[in-house]
Amino acid sequence: MSEVRIAAEPRTEFGKGAARRTRRAGKVPAVLYGHGTDPTHISLPGHELMMALKTPNALLAIEGLDGGKQLALPKDVQRDPIKGFLEHVDLLIVKRGEKVVVDLPVNVVGDVVAGGVVSQSVVEIQVETEATRIPESVELDVSGLAVDSQVLAKDLKLPAGTTLAADEELLIVQITDATASAGATEGTEAAPAGEGPATDVNTPEASE
């Protein structure tokens, strides 16, 4: 994974009012921490940061700091729950060669046997890998898997230099019978009038 260079500015004002002013200026409040250093409060250009964070576990090269460039990974990204814009970002300082634990997306590819349906229980898997060589994802090929097959975390083929940090028995994917699934759906259709289940007379009124 290549580094994304991004220029930081020191941040000396704090609180909700200061944060709003920072965002109105097109920047995002952030905190840089790790490796025994005191937290550094900075602001980052909003559009550049938003584009960088489209890549999972983006490796940021933070420039413009008093101590020189720092490599960092996003650890906590806060967004507005309605509009989705970036509100605040926590960045963890990393060094070349060190190992970090991150979540990687699990991308399912391939076709199972006819009549089978892929049911994915986990979309991200926790792994340990080198901080400056984080893979973008883990690919899971389900080609030819039969109905009732399961893929556990220990069955994943991880990228080179990456080891599993999650529970080995964690269920990632299972292959279900499409016919059985369709039958179960039909069984849940509404019953004809007068044939539905009796109403529980002890159920409290909704207004209570």
Side-chain angles (χ1 to χ4, degrees):
M1 179 182 295
S2 59
E3 301 171 12
V4 179
R5 301 166 71 92
I6 190 165
E9 294 180 1
R11 186 162 53 93
T12 57
E13 291 185 315
F14 308 101
K16 293 183 178 179
R20 282 194 294 268
R21 288 192 292 273
T22 298
R23 289 191 288 267
R24 280 199 297 267
K27 302 180 184 299
V28 178
V31 174
L32 184 66
Y33 67 97
H35 281 273
T37 62
D38 292 331
T40 302
H41 299 270
I42 57 176
S43 62
L44 300 170
H47 179 71
E48 292 178 32
L49 181 59
M50 179 183 68
M51 296 303 293
L53 294 181
K54 288 183 179 293
T55 300
N57 303 305
L59 180 62
L60 304 180
I62 310 296
E63 300 180 330
L65 303 171
D66 289 341
K69 184 180 75 172
Q70 291 278 17
L71 297 178
L73 292 174
K75 294 304 292 183
D76 184 33
V77 179
Q78 299 175 22
R79 299 179 184 270
D80 181 271
I82 299 175
K83 297 182 179 180
F85 61 79
L86 295 172
E87 290 190 323
H88 189 276
V89 178
D90 287 353
L91 302 170
L92 176 65
I93 296 172
V94 295
K95 302 295 183 183
R96 297 187 185 280
E98 76 171 315
K99 296 280 189 174
V100 292
V101 175
V102 296
D103 292 328
L104 296 185
V106 178
N107 295 333
V108 177
V109 300
D111 297 318
V112 298
V113 297
V117 175
V118 177
S119 177
Q120 187 171 359
S121 302
V122 171
V123 297
E124 290 186 330
I125 190 71
Q126 194 172 69
V127 301
E128 185 179 56
T129 188
E130 190 174 331
T132 55
R133 295 184 179 180
I134 300 176
E136 291 191 5
S137 63
V138 175
E139 187 173 284
L140 170 56
D141 189 354
V142 297
S143 298
L145 288 186
V147 172
D148 293 333
S149 297
Q150 292 185 338
V151 178
L152 305 180
K154 64 183 179 183
D155 302 320
L156 293 173
K157 294 181 179 179
L158 300 178
T162 301
T163 56
L164 186 67
D167 183 352
E168 291 186 349
E169 301 301 318
L170 181 65
L171 177 64
I172 308 298
V173 157
Q174 59 184 346
I175 311 304
T176 59
D177 187 337
T179 304
S181 299
T185 302
E186 293 174 1
T188 59
E189 293 180 357
E195 296 183 9
T199 301
D200 184 356
V201 295
N202 293 322
T203 301
E205 295 294 333
S207 59
E208 293 183 356

